[in-house]
Amino acid sequence: RAAGAHEAPRAHAVAFGVFDPGLFDALLLLGTPTSLDEARRRFKALANERHPDVAGGSHAAMSALNRAFALVSKHFERTATS
């Protein structure tokens, strides 16, 4: 194998959160929104429950939710410009 042959797939996997179970949980909670507006509504509802200042919320849960929303919103931005 060539040197660095595994670097690109691993970097790609890390960039998309493969090694972050919290991100997967947050993506599952966001579900499959059909529009960016729907994704925002779901994000805001979940953020109200998971924010660190709310009982039962945590920094880790909010951070994962923020990353999940960033991925979902990038998807809609890419499809809107295509």
Side-chain angles (χ1 to χ4, degrees), residues 7 26 31 45 47 56 64-65 72:
E7 294 304 315
L65 183 60
V72 170

Side-chain angles (χ1 to χ4, degrees), residues 40-72:
R40 279 190 187 114
R41 281 192 299 275
R42 290 181 184 184
F43 169 79
K44 287 180 182 182
L46 290 167
N48 285 335
E49 298 171 5
R50 287 166 174 69
H51 194 275
D53 292 344
V54 176
S58 72
H59 177 73
M62 193 66 207
S63 179
L65 183 60
N66 283 330
R67 291 190 312 275
F69 180 71
L71 285 175
V72 170

Side-chain angles (χ1 to χ4, degrees), residues 7-82:
E7 294 304 315
R10 186 170 191 276
H12 180 76
V14 171
F16 287 96
V18 169
F19 301 110
D20 185 355
L23 178 60
F24 283 134
D25 291 343
L27 284 169
L28 289 173
L29 288 170
L30 280 176
T32 310
T34 57
S35 69
L36 184 55
D37 287 337
E38 183 183 351
R40 279 190 187 114
R41 281 192 299 275
R42 290 181 184 184
F43 169 79
K44 287 180 182 182
L46 290 167
N48 285 335
E49 298 171 5
R50 287 166 174 69
H51 194 275
D53 292 344
V54 176
S58 72
H59 177 73
M62 193 66 207
S63 179
L65 183 60
N66 283 330
R67 291 190 312 275
F69 180 71
L71 285 175
V72 170
S73 62
K74 280 184 184 181
H75 163 75
F76 284 110
E77 289 171 5
R78 275 186 267 139
T79 57
T81 59
S82 298

